[in-house]
Amino acid sequence: MINFIKKNIALIWAKNHVKGTQTFKQNAIKDQEVLLLSLVRTAEKTLFGRAHQFENIKTIHDFQTQVHVADYEDLKPYIEKVKKGQRQILWTETPEYFAKTSGTTSGSKYIPISKEGMPYQVAAAQSAIFHYIAQKNNADFVSGKMIFIQGSPELEEVNGIKTGRLSGIVAHHVPSYLQKNRLPSLETNLIEDWEEKVDAIVKETEKENMTLISGIPPWLIMYFEKLIERNGKKITELFPNLQLIITGGVNYEPYRDKMNELLGKPVDTVQTFPASEGFFAFQDDYQKEGLLLLTNHGIFYEFISLEEYGKPEAKRLTLKDIELHKDYALILTTNSGLWAYSIGDVVRFISKDPYRILVSGRTKHFTSAFGEHVIAFEVEEALKATVEKFPAQITEFHLAPQVNPTSGLPYHEWFIEFEKEPADLETFRNNLDDEMRKRNAYYDDLISGKILQPLMISSLKKNAFQDYAKSEGKLGGQNKIPRLANDRKIGDFLESFKK
């Protein structure tokens, strides 16, 4: 009876919530303008606001004139002041949290999360679940066990500001109505060593009635493989009531076949787009492509065409200016004190009514050693199309340029860890090259002009990418291995794993 009541309450909440979202979907452009000016007025007396003459900002154009696009290095002097306990620096109040992330040039990054910003992180995750329940007209999973594979919830303090990984911070804000059903235990969640942690999660969950599982794809795969190894059953045999997978952090499509193989049969999947800087979008229709952009969650969005990104006079666009099926660098202004902040993600709009996006890559993760500027979306789509024609299962891959081969022309080298290789790897390689040439005109020109030879595939031994992540201290959590590079750093490591 209790489970029946819980499911029905969840259905009512979900349907009411989805009805309430129609307003922001319809008024996105106006809401965004109002939001930006509200953020500016709020922060007018902060150190950043005074330095950038917020009192003179009356329009979006004024803001774009006064506040230049920034990366972490640009904002770091302000953030260092906040870390020292100074007030009224980027935002009116001291942050409630610092989300600590791994930087490449800056060392650890400390991303502020304000008391206003944190509730939106939680609300967005809830909204994703409510949209699924309302569309499915089914909330059966609320009566089972749910697991969120995440970082440690143990937080340190920096001058009174609680600091840790975003997923660990979010663990402290799981709604009370989910706590009784939530796994793993706090003791398991506190384990720092990722492999030890996954082993403990396996033991803790393998006999439970798991109905919802959440995490980024590479670590879900690791968890599922260990479950299968211990129990000799596919995941849906082990968890027959598993209804929903919630994932984010990377594009799910390259992992879908591998996930389905481990699951034993397809399970409904909801993709999300969270980050330390905010929760930007989620899949509001689990049967359709694209993530609903959250335009009323304390974040003002700007977009720079990827072709112009990094140029001094690059035009900053707002929602009313964007074009469909074009790649844009994502720029954020948030109610946690980030101003015109370049997060490093690249998005592509596939709908304007409402605004839905795909995450198509990273501004720093591309291959352009020869001027081709190949991005993640292109390689993922080319690989997907090739696998559909020539069946294979891929665990992970990485593309690196080979600029100085021992003989012949330079080429793109694809390091691929296959779960199951295609029947004919040479045919697979040729088709993959054709698919890449269809998607990137510059690459096609380089092949046609005999500047590059067609791509090469290096097939890798099992666990090559896990071993690379471990070598970098980035095994587990929300860490992701770049799929594209302009150098051979990752490629050189993977050389020893070639078959």
Side-chain angles (χ1 to χ4, degrees):
M1 175 60 83
I2 292 175
N3 284 339
F4 175 79
I5 293 171
K6 281 175 66 176
K7 287 188 282 189
N8 277 278
I9 289 173
L11 272 170
I12 293 168
W13 281 358
K15 290 179 179 179
N16 286 337
H17 172 82
V18 171
K19 285 180 184 176
T21 64
Q22 297 309 309
T23 301
F24 96 76
K25 292 177 184 178
Q26 294 164 1
N27 299 315
I29 291 175
K30 182 62 179 174
D31 287 349
Q32 281 278 283
E33 181 179 6
V34 170
L35 172 63
L36 174 65
L37 296 180
S38 173
L39 295 174
V40 168
R41 294 283 78 79
T42 301
E44 204 170 283
K45 303 300 182 183
T46 64
L47 180 64
F48 189 92
R50 286 183 280 116
H52 293 81
Q53 300 178 8
F54 275 16
E55 73 275 9
N56 295 330
I57 294 175
K58 310 298 180 187
T59 66
I60 292 174
H61 180 263
D62 291 343
F63 175 77
Q64 292 175 336
T65 302
Q66 295 292 109
V67 182
H68 295 162
V69 172
D71 60 16
Y72 187 80
E73 283 298 312
D74 296 319
L75 292 184
K76 189 175 181 180
Y78 293 95
I79 291 173
E80 289 299 314
K81 292 179 186 297
V82 179
K83 285 172 63 180
K84 291 174 183 175
Q86 296 181 33
R87 299 170 63 86
Q88 288 271 352
I89 303 300
L90 286 166
W91 194 242
T92 53
E93 300 294 334
T94 301
E96 185 172 15
Y97 298 101
F98 276 128
K100 190 176 179 180
T101 70
S102 300
T104 51
T105 59
S106 307
S108 293
K109 296 181 181 181
Y110 292 80
I111 305 298
I113 303 177
S114 68
K115 291 179 182 177
E116 296 93 338
M118 192 64 224
Y120 283 122
Q121 288 271 7
V122 178
Q126 289 176 323
S127 190
I129 293 174
F130 282 154
H131 274 77
Y132 172 78
I133 291 173
Q135 189 185 358
K136 189 84 171 180
N137 197 33
N138 180 5
D140 286 350
F141 68 87
V142 302
S143 61
K145 296 291 185 180
M146 308 175 195
I147 184 171
F148 303 89
I149 299 178
Q150 56 196 193
S152 171
E154 190 169 27
L155 306 178
E156 59 182 350
E157 287 204 356
V158 175
N159 271 317
I161 301 171
K162 294 176 182 177
T163 301
R165 301 291 179 184
L166 176 67
S167 60
I169 292 170
V170 171
H172 292 273
H173 293 266
V174 174
S176 57
Y177 60 84
L178 292 180
Q179 289 288 4
K180 288 183 180 179
N181 295 48
R182 177 183 167 224
L183 291 171
S185 64
L186 178 62
E187 181 183 12
T188 295
N189 243 347
L190 288 171
I191 297 173
E192 287 293 340
D193 183 89
W194 189 250
E195 290 178 292
E196 182 186 343
K197 181 173 186 169
V198 173
D199 286 337
I201 292 173
V202 167
K203 292 174 185 176
E204 202 167 291
T205 58
E206 61 188 347
K207 304 299 182 186
E208 297 287 350
N209 177 31
M210 303 303 302
T211 54
L212 182 153
I213 298 175
S214 176
I216 69 170
W219 312 122
L220 289 178
I221 287 171
M222 186 177 178
Y223 167 57
F224 289 162
E225 286 180 334
K226 286 180 178 288
L227 279 167
I228 292 169
E229 185 180 340
R230 274 176 61 88
N231 294 276
K233 295 180 180 179
K234 298 289 187 180
I235 299 305
T236 51
E237 295 177 282
L238 195 61
F239 304 138
N241 296 318
L242 179 60
Q243 182 179 331
L244 181 60
I245 303 280
I246 298 179
T247 186
V250 295
N251 183 3
Y252 185 71
E253 287 307 316
Y255 299 97
R256 189 179 293 278
D257 288 343
K258 173 70 172 176
M259 286 284 288
N260 285 344
E261 193 268 330
L262 295 172
L263 288 165
K265 63 181 181 181
V267 174
D268 292 342
T269 303
V270 171
Q271 298 178 57
T272 62
F273 185 13
S276 300
E277 295 83 356
F279 200 126
F280 313 126
F282 62 80
Q283 192 174 4
D284 61 323
D285 186 335
Y286 76 97
Q287 294 179 313
K288 292 182 180 178
E289 191 178 44
L291 311 181
L292 176 69
L293 188 66
L294 299 173
T295 54
N296 67 336
H297 274 225
I299 301 170
F300 174 75
Y301 300 99
E302 296 175 85
F303 310 92
I304 297 176
S305 171
L306 196 55
E307 293 87 359
E308 292 190 26
Y309 182 75
K311 296 178 181 178
E313 301 304 317
K315 188 175 181 181
R316 291 156 64 179
L317 309 176
T318 58
L319 284 178
K320 65 181 177 60
D321 308 308
I322 61 95
E323 299 175 29
L324 296 181
H325 311 297
K326 187 171 181 177
D327 293 303
Y328 296 101
L330 183 61
I331 312 298
L332 311 171
T333 293
T334 77
N335 61 358
S336 290
L338 298 177
W339 300 98
Y341 183 79
S342 176
I343 189 176
D345 284 299
V346 179
V347 299
R348 177 178 297 189
F349 283 87
I350 61 169
S351 166
K352 292 185 180 183
D353 185 22
Y355 287 97
R356 289 198 181 96
I357 60 171
L358 299 174
V359 183
S360 54
R362 296 278 295 168
T363 55
K364 293 182 179 179
H365 294 171
F366 58 88
T367 300
S368 195
F370 311 97
E372 63 275 36
H373 209 91
V374 169
I375 63 171
F377 189 81
E378 292 166 343
V379 301
E380 288 168 355
E381 288 295 296
L383 193 56
K384 179 183 176 183
T386 301
V387 168
E388 286 174 355
K389 292 180 186 175
F390 305 98
Q393 287 182 6
I394 294 169
T395 300
E396 191 54 275
F397 69 92
H398 175 78
L399 190 164
Q402 180 51 271
V403 179
N404 297 305
T406 53
S407 63
L409 295 172
Y411 56 89
H412 284 181
E413 184 171 10
W414 290 59
F415 296 89
I416 304 180
E417 183 181 330
F418 289 100
E419 177 72 20
K420 186 184 296 181
E421 284 198 10
D424 186 335
L425 189 57
E426 181 64 13
T427 303
F428 185 94
R429 179 183 76 90
N430 290 332
N431 190 85
L432 181 58
D433 196 72
D434 288 342
E435 293 291 344
M436 279 302 306
R437 294 178 68 174
K438 289 178 190 175
R439 286 165 174 77
N440 188 297
Y442 301 111
Y443 179 73
D444 183 48
D445 288 343
L446 290 167
I447 299 291
S448 300
K450 305 293 188 214
I451 307 298
L452 295 181
Q453 62 176 305
L455 66 84
M456 300 291 183
I457 292 177
S458 294
S459 184
L460 303 180
K461 299 172 186 175
K462 187 175 175 61
N463 295 329
F465 287 96
Q466 280 190 30
D467 284 358
Y468 171 75
K470 193 187 300 183
S471 75
E472 293 289 303
K474 294 184 176 182
L475 185 64
Q478 298 299 305
N479 295 308
K480 302 166 286 263
I481 295 172
R483 286 188 164 155
L484 296 104
N486 267 324
D487 56 40
R488 300 281 301 179
K489 180 186 175 186
I490 297 175
D492 287 346
F493 180 92
L494 296 173
E495 285 282 342
S496 62
F497 289 87
K498 287 182 178 179
K499 288 183 176 179

